[in-house]
Structure formats: C-alpha cells, structure tokens
Amino acid sequence: MERPLELGNVTRVQEFVLLGLSTRPDVRDVLFAIFLALYLLTLLENTLIIYLICSHIELHKPMYFFLGNLSCLEMCYVSVTMPSLLVGLWIGPYHISFTACMTQLFFFIVLICTECTLLASMAYDRYVAICRPLHYPLLMRPQVCLGLALSSWLGGLLVSVAKASCIASLSYCGPNVLNHFFCDVSPLLNLSCTHVALTELVDFISAIVILWGSLLVAIASYVAIGRAVLHMPSAAARRKALSTCASHLVVVGIFYAATLFIYARPSRIEAMDLNKVLSVIYTVVTPMCNPVIYCLRNREVQAAFCRTLHQS
C-alpha cells in the first residue's frame, strides 16, 4: 500500500543525495581512473566517426548517415550520465538539486528513447539493403533517412516530456537518498511518498510503445534478413550479408536486454545494485563499444581513416 499524502504537512525535498556507483573509498580512485579513460575514449571514438562520415563523400550513404546520428546521440548520452558517475567516484555521495536531477532525467529519457528508435531504423535499413536491394535507392533515399532520424529524436522528446513531467510532479517528502549514480526512473519512484500508479502507467505505456515497438521492428527485420540469407545461392554472399548485420545484432541484443529488464516493467525495482550494474552496460560500455563494432572494423571507414591520416 502507498503512503497517503497530507499536502499540508509535507516538506518537499529540495535536493537528492546520489550514493554513486560505489561507496567504498578503497576502490573509488581506481574506478574513477577507469571510467574517466572510458569517457574520454568514447568521446574520441564518436568524434572520429562523425568527422570521417562528414568529410568523406564515399561515406554519404544511408547506413553511415544513421551511424553518424548514433555517434552524435551517444556523445550526448554518455555526457548526461558519466559526469555524475565520475563526481560520485571522486568525492563520494553528493547532493544534487531537485531541478538538476529532473533535468538530467529528462535528457536521459530523451536519449535512451531516441536510441531505441534509431536502432530500429538501422535494422530496417539493413533489411532493405539485403532483402530489397533493387529498391534500396528509392526506399532509403535521403528524404526517408532524414525523416526516420527526425522521427527518432522527436519521439524520444515527446516520451521524455510525458515521463519526466509525471515524475517531477510527484511529491518527495521522506528519504532523499538515491542508490544510483544518476537520476533514473526507478530510484526516484522508490522515494516518492505519493501514489505512483499514474506515473507507472505512463512509464509502462511508453516502454510498450518505444522499447517493445522498436524491438519488434528490429526482430521482424532480422527474421526477414535471416530468411533471405538462407535462400542465397552462394556461401560468399551469405557471409557478406551476415557481416553487415552481425555487429548491429550484437549491439541491439546487449542494449535491449539491459534496458528491457529495467524499464519495461511497471513495478518498482528494489534490486538497485543490479540496476546500477546494468545501467553501466548501456550508459558506459555500449557507447564505447559501438564505434568499434559498427565503424572502426568496417573496411570503408578504415580506408577513409587511412586517407585522413595520409592527408595530415
């Protein structure tokens, strides 16, 4: 049962305390160095990808257009959560104002929802390239690619406005300690002293629409790709088709496995230590690995990178 709220006797929480990734002083310094290096590496990798895609005309293709959008998104994404993680590792548990916490939550939801729909758009792009190659120039013309990218960003923005507004409108009148390294949905719901049924309903519906919806698009695309690959006449053609999809499929699997476990359920999550570990996967590990998995192992990107080095 939720605790009833007597508005007249409630003192609204003005700030929260973020416990951070770890409260053990003996490991915080080591973790700080590791995560700072990962953060700088992530920014460097994604900046390099964006530069190569923008500066080399041979990379002006739909697949690289989406990869450029993904790199831009992940630079923003990691910059929303990583600074608070690093501050927590440097100084330990620290205070964050209510407004700053809700602002961080808003941008985090925007970016994670945008990434979901962008990954679905990338899966559709691979489906068209493999299953309908003759129609690829028409189905993935620049106007369509731009529309898919804008829809991803706009969809994330709309969902974030709804979710962040509901969470910000709740009353926080009791404990203000968040067992997390950034302001996330579940820890905030756990601290609310009002009924959260409406907020959980909004959270659940948005998870159905964004997370499950985009995941179903990705699954449908890869089922169709799998069928097409099985009917290809030569082993070389099958290997080439699979090589263009394997990296995206790995990233989709890791990203959705972590996010669906945390966000696709309407109930509050109590296992916050597990929540923090899973959050590290999709807020730190995935943005760092994506450029390597998607681009830096790609022959066209490698060739563009080598030409850039020679020109300099």
Side-chain angles (χ1 to χ4, degrees):
M1 294 292 291
E2 305 289 345
R3 297 192 302 272
L5 173 65
E6 299 293 339
L7 292 176
N9 298 325
V10 167
T11 301
R12 186 179 178 87
V13 169
Q14 298 298 316
E15 63 181 15
F16 296 102
V17 179
L18 286 173
L19 292 184
L21 186 62
S22 174
T23 56
R24 293 177 54 188
D26 56 325
V27 301
R28 286 210 313 258
D29 291 343
V30 176
L31 290 177
F32 177 84
I34 293 173
F35 282 105
L36 178 60
L38 294 179
Y39 180 41
L40 296 177
L41 179 61
T42 301
L43 294 180
L44 177 62
E45 288 175 341
N46 285 287
T47 300
L48 176 61
I49 296 303
I50 294 171
Y51 171 76
L52 291 175
I53 291 174
C54 292
S55 60
H56 290 80
I57 192 169
E58 66 271 19
L59 299 182
H60 291 179
K61 301 176 182 178
M63 180 176 73
Y64 298 111
F65 170 77
F66 289 119
L67 288 174
N69 268 271
L70 184 65
S71 290
C72 180
L73 182 147
E74 288 186 335
M75 288 177 66
C76 300
Y77 186 42
V78 76
S79 296
V80 168
T81 57
M82 187 67 88
S84 62
L85 186 153
L86 292 173
V87 171
L89 292 174
W90 182 254
I91 66 174
Y94 70 100
H95 295 259
I96 181 173
S97 70
F98 181 88
T99 301
C101 185
M102 294 303 157
T103 301
Q104 183 185 49
L105 176 71
F106 171 79
F107 284 108
F108 173 73
I109 296 174
V110 168
L111 295 169
I112 195 172
C113 291
T114 301
E115 180 155 1
C116 288
T117 49
L118 195 58
L119 288 174
S121 298
M122 294 169 68
Y124 173 73
D125 170 70
R126 291 299 84 203
Y127 158 75
V128 176
I130 293 174
C131 300
R132 306 187 66 182
L134 297 179
H135 296 90
Y136 187 79
L138 176 64
L139 295 177
M140 298 306 295
R141 59 191 183 275
Q143 297 90 331
V144 174
C145 295
L146 183 61
L148 289 172
L150 289 176
S151 298
S152 298
W153 287 94
L154 182 60
L157 179 63
L158 293 176
V159 171
S160 184
V161 167
K163 292 181 67 169
S165 298
C166 288
I167 294 172
S169 65
L170 297 174
S171 292
Y172 302 90
C173 50
N176 66 338
V177 178
L178 291 171
N179 185 17
H180 214 310
F181 58 87
F182 70 98
C183 292
D184 201 358
V185 175
S186 295
L188 287 168
L189 291 182
N190 286 335
L191 293 185
S192 174
C193 57
T194 56
H195 292 283
V196 295
L198 177 60
T199 303
E200 288 185 336
L201 178 61
V202 171
D203 188 39
F204 183 63
I205 292 174
S206 64
I208 292 294
V209 173
I210 296 294
L211 290 179
W212 287 107
S214 57
L215 179 59
L216 288 176
V217 171
I219 291 175
S221 298
Y222 279 108
V223 168
I225 289 171
R227 289 177 178 173
V229 169
L230 290 176
H231 288 88
M232 288 180 177
S234 67
R238 288 195 292 270
R239 284 196 298 270
K240 182 178 180 181
L242 289 175
S243 67
T244 64
C245 301
S247 58
H248 182 261
L249 192 57
V250 170
V251 172
V252 166
I254 295 173
F255 178 82
Y256 279 107
T259 52
L260 286 174
F261 180 84
I262 295 177
Y263 296 106
R265 303 188 305 179
S267 60
R268 302 179 182 191
I269 297 176
E270 302 296 341
M272 294 310 301
D273 289 335
L274 177 60
N275 196 356
K276 287 194 287 186
V277 172
L278 292 174
S279 297
V280 169
I281 293 175
Y282 64 81
T283 61
V284 179
V285 177
T286 302
M288 182 195 67
C289 294
N290 279 356
V292 177
I293 294 173
Y294 280 132
C295 292
L296 299 182
R297 294 173 61 251
N298 180 287
R299 291 182 180 179
E300 288 183 303
V301 176
Q302 289 176 349
F305 180 60
C306 291
R307 283 194 296 274
T308 300
L309 290 179
H310 290 204
Q311 291 171 1
S312 60

